[in-house]
Amino acid sequence: MKFIWIIPLLIGVFVLFPEIYAETITQNLEGGMDIQITYPEEIVSGREGVISILIKNNGWENKEDISFGFSLSAIPTLIIEPSDRITLDRLTQGGSYGENINLQIPNDASLGVHFLNLKYSHVLVANNKTPQSPFFHDIAIPITIKEGPSVTIHTKMPESIFSNAEFPIETEVLSKDIDITNVRIKIIPPKDIEFRGETLHTFSKIEKNMAVAITSRIITPIDEVNIEYKLPFQIIVTYTDDVGLNKEDSQTVSVVLRPRTFMELTTDGGIWIGSFFIAPYVSLGTIIGIPAGAIISLLIRKKQNSSKKRPKKKKL
């Protein structure tokens, strides 16, 4: 039986992703008015999504009576907070204004892409004295509604491994749409593989768009292999979603165990030369698994054998 031991470092690393899986619409309008709208890539039915609106007056003339109005016909019973209409009395040169709009998607909303229409208007004040006719502009914001929240599992490991060496394996869990609680991450190795250390990791909570990464080390068998074969690992994640339902997601990943070539570099900086391993953390000349005295003896014996084979000079 071949054995692989994995020594978990048990490092639960919380990584904050700067991007929130969102899309952005940028519009450059009359009079130097710039609008940037950031909206979620997807919104789960029955949950909330946030649209962020940022406007800036890059023109040299003031703008008055600025307004944003949302049309609700695309998604019936959609709730917009704080209001489906935003108004500003004035925005001077170089001024800016930002607002977050919460969208409460109804449970019975049809799945797929819907376009939320945003009607924008402003009045340009010519020479900062004379108001002009209102300027109107429509912006279509695509809103994709999906059935349920998604939890993704990403496992990173080498494509192939060889015997008597160490290799990294990292499993990352990310909840894209909601906070999840009572999280259990279980790693199930193949039946003929021995897994040393913790195979189950628990977290009380994983926040939305915050990843948890578990980093471990795979230590391959000492015995050499003559053929390639795959070693499957299964990762199962169970959790409780934001409405109290218990969910499960899983992933199966495989790594190829192959014969070692004549020269192989390991991830920790060591090197295999044939059946000899030179460690990266020892002094020069130290070879793991081979006593230094034995190496010296081999060199001396080789030199002696070479001397014996030299032809003797004939005496005159």
Side-chain angles (χ1 to χ4, degrees), residues 4 15 18 25 75 84 153-154 173 178 190 212 214 219 250 259 282-283:
I4 286 181
V15 182
I25 296 174
I75 309 174
D84 60 358
I153 305 168
H154 178 66
V173 177
I178 59 171
V212 169
I214 300 169
I219 303 179
S250 64
V282 294
S283 59

Side-chain angles (χ1 to χ4, degrees), residues 17-53:
F17 288 146
E19 68 270 28
I20 313 298
Y21 295 95
E23 301 289 344
T24 300
I25 296 174
T26 301
Q27 300 277 313
N28 305 113
L29 305 181
E30 179 186 280
M33 291 293 285
D34 292 342
I35 301 177
Q36 182 175 290
I37 301 171
T38 303
Y39 59 93
E41 188 178 86
E42 297 173 320
I43 306 178
V44 178
S45 176
R47 267 71 164 193
E48 253 189 19
V50 177
I51 293 179
S52 297
I53 299 176

Side-chain angles (χ1 to χ4, degrees), residues 4-304:
I4 286 181
W5 297 273
I6 300 179
I7 303 179
L9 302 181
L10 300 181
I11 301 177
V13 183
F14 291 88
V15 182
L16 177 61
F17 288 146
E19 68 270 28
I20 313 298
Y21 295 95
E23 301 289 344
T24 300
I25 296 174
T26 301
Q27 300 277 313
N28 305 113
L29 305 181
E30 179 186 280
M33 291 293 285
D34 292 342
I35 301 177
Q36 182 175 290
I37 301 171
T38 303
Y39 59 93
E41 188 178 86
E42 297 173 320
I43 306 178
V44 178
S45 176
R47 267 71 164 193
E48 253 189 19
V50 177
I51 293 179
S52 297
I53 299 176
L54 176 65
I55 59 173
K56 187 172 183 180
N57 184 5
N58 289 318
W60 62 275
E61 296 168 303
N62 297 339
K63 312 299 184 301
E64 296 179 345
D65 299 329
I66 303 164
S67 70
F68 297 88
F70 290 92
S71 171
L72 305 182
S73 59
I75 309 174
T77 69
L78 173 69
I79 299 175
I80 296 181
E81 296 177 344
S83 173
D84 60 358
R85 187 174 181 82
I86 302 170
T87 60
L88 296 174
D89 292 336
R90 177 185 291 255
L91 198 61
T92 58
Q93 178 187 2
S96 61
Y97 176 82
E99 181 81 44
N100 284 338
I101 306 297
N102 296 319
L103 306 179
Q104 181 63 51
I105 306 298
N107 291 316
D108 58 353
S110 60
L111 306 182
V113 181
H114 304 266
F115 288 92
L116 185 65
N117 189 57
L118 174 63
K119 184 175 286 292
Y120 168 83
S121 68
H122 72 243
V123 173
L124 184 146
V125 183
N127 299 316
N128 291 331
K129 294 180 179 180
T130 309
Q132 304 297 298
S133 299
F135 167 82
F136 296 96
H137 185 72
D138 290 329
I139 302 173
I141 305 172
I143 302 296
T144 301
I145 300 176
K146 64 179 184 178
E147 185 175 5
S150 61
V151 173
T152 59
I153 305 168
H154 178 66
T155 301
K156 185 168 61 176
M157 61 194 309
E159 292 183 1
S160 65
I161 57 178
F162 51 85
S163 60
N164 207 5
E166 292 190 17
F167 299 90
I169 175 174
E170 180 176 325
T171 298
E172 183 180 87
V173 177
L174 173 68
S175 178
K176 186 176 176 181
D177 305 294
I178 59 171
D179 293 347
I180 56 177
T181 56
N182 304 320
V183 184
R184 293 161 60 92
I185 306 172
K186 185 174 181 61
I187 303 174
I188 303 176
K191 292 181 180 179
D192 59 342
I193 299 302
E194 181 179 342
F195 193 98
R196 183 174 56 174
E198 297 295 332
T199 59
L200 178 65
H201 307 270
T202 60
F203 299 89
S204 59
K205 183 178 181 180
I206 296 180
E207 296 182 5
K208 172 182 175 181
N209 287 316
M210 303 242 342
V212 169
I214 300 169
T215 303
S216 307
R217 301 286 294 180
I218 299 176
I219 303 179
T220 54
I222 296 177
D223 296 337
E224 293 288 342
V225 296
N226 297 321
I227 60 173
E228 293 185 356
Y229 60 93
K230 290 185 177 181
L231 300 172
F233 290 83
Q234 187 178 16
I235 295 90
I236 299 177
V237 178
T238 59
Y239 58 92
T240 303
D241 68 10
D242 58 336
V243 294
L245 298 178
N246 295 325
K247 299 290 185 65
E248 179 179 302
D249 290 278
S250 64
Q251 180 190 65
T252 299
V253 293
S254 296
V255 62
V256 175
L257 181 62
R258 60 172 174 81
R260 190 174 62 236
T261 60
F262 176 74
M263 182 176 291
E264 295 274 11
L265 295 175
T266 62
T267 56
D268 57 359
I271 181 172
W272 278 98
I273 302 177
S275 59
F276 301 148
F277 177 63
I278 302 176
Y281 47 83
V282 294
S283 59
L284 184 64
T286 301
I287 300 177
I288 292 184
I290 304 175
I295 297 174
I296 296 173
S297 298
L298 288 172
L299 294 174
I300 294 174
R301 185 177 302 175
K302 183 178 180 181
K303 185 175 181 180
Q304 289 175 344

